Amino acid sequence: IGNLKIAGDYLYYTQNGGNEVSRVSLADAFPEEGLPDFSKGNTILAVSSGKMDMPAEVEEALEEAVSALYSASESDETAGQGKITFWLSLKSFVVDRDQRLYYVLQAYVNTDLTIEPAGYILCSQNEDGQQGYKAFWQEIEDLAVDGEGNVYVLSSEGICIVDSEGRKAGVVSL
């Protein structure tokens, strides 16, 4: 168990290698008597390296990132490495006061010989588990949320403000 966060009456945490986000009510997790109990926790996000439905623009951005990493030239040292696949890892998550989950997946490109980072996917999920947006980013260092559906993404560009639809609404330079 790691990455503990409290939002409202719930405790959120990662488990199973950090690729699963669960939540448990604070009352269930910390009974008045006895030890903390996470057995009543529910998994609200499980990241697997398998195929994940992505919007077309995210798939295109990932393909562009792969092309930049692995240009198919005869002199390229990566030529002939075989099948190129993606895998995803949960980088971080935050929860707003309305129990909406926002999380960052780091995408990696895997060939027979190398594993290279390919970018990040910023995702949202409603309280009931329904997926919101997914948007590709070249870089994400950290993120925070407010109670109005806005996400603040820290990158080398500055602090990018992302609206409730997943669109960049502005940038604050650092």
Side-chain angles (χ1 to χ4, degrees):
I1 290 181
N3 299 313
L4 302 176
K5 300 180 187 324
I6 294 176
D9 294 331
Y10 290 94
L11 172 67
Y12 292 80
Y13 54 94
T14 58
Q15 58 184 358
N16 294 334
N19 278 323
E20 201 170 280
V21 177
S22 297
R23 80 173 173 199
V24 63
S25 76
L26 290 169
D28 287 341
F30 301 103
E32 289 185 28
E33 295 182 17
L35 297 173
D37 180 10
F38 290 86
S39 66
K40 294 182 181 175
N42 296 323
T43 299
I44 60 171
L45 173 68
V47 177
S48 70
S49 59
K51 179 86 170 124
M52 183 176 187
D53 290 331
M54 293 287 170
E57 61 272 10
V58 172
E59 287 186 13
E60 289 169 11
L62 283 171
E63 288 173 10
E64 288 175 20
V66 169
S67 294
L69 286 171
Y70 302 104
S71 60
S73 70
E74 288 301 317
S75 61
D76 188 343
E77 63 188 47
T78 62
Q81 286 188 4
K83 185 178 177 184
I84 295 175
T85 59
F86 290 104
W87 60 275
L88 302 170
S89 175
L90 181 66
K91 177 177 169 64
S92 62
F93 76 94
V94 292
V95 181
D96 70 12
R97 66 178 171 228
D98 294 324
Q99 310 304 310
R100 289 181 294 240
L101 177 70
Y102 302 89
Y103 57 97
V104 176
L105 299 174
Q106 184 162 11
Y108 294 91
V109 178
N110 184 18
T111 68
D112 293 340
L113 300 176
T114 63
I115 297 174
E116 298 283 342
Y120 301 88
I121 304 164
L122 176 62
C123 307
S124 69
Q125 180 175 307
N126 295 337
E127 176 185 0
D128 63 1
Q130 182 181 13
Q131 278 288 271
Y133 60 79
K134 294 177 183 164
F136 180 80
W137 289 66
Q138 286 292 329
E139 173 193 13
I140 295 179
E141 292 298 322
D142 203 0
L143 69 156
V145 294
D146 61 20
E148 304 192 12
N150 297 310
V151 179
Y152 301 86
V153 176
L154 177 63
S155 70
S156 60
E157 190 178 347
I159 299 173
C160 297
I161 303 163
V162 179
D163 69 16
S164 61
E165 301 297 317
R167 298 178 300 240
K168 281 187 184 179
V171 176
V172 177
S173 297
L174 300 177

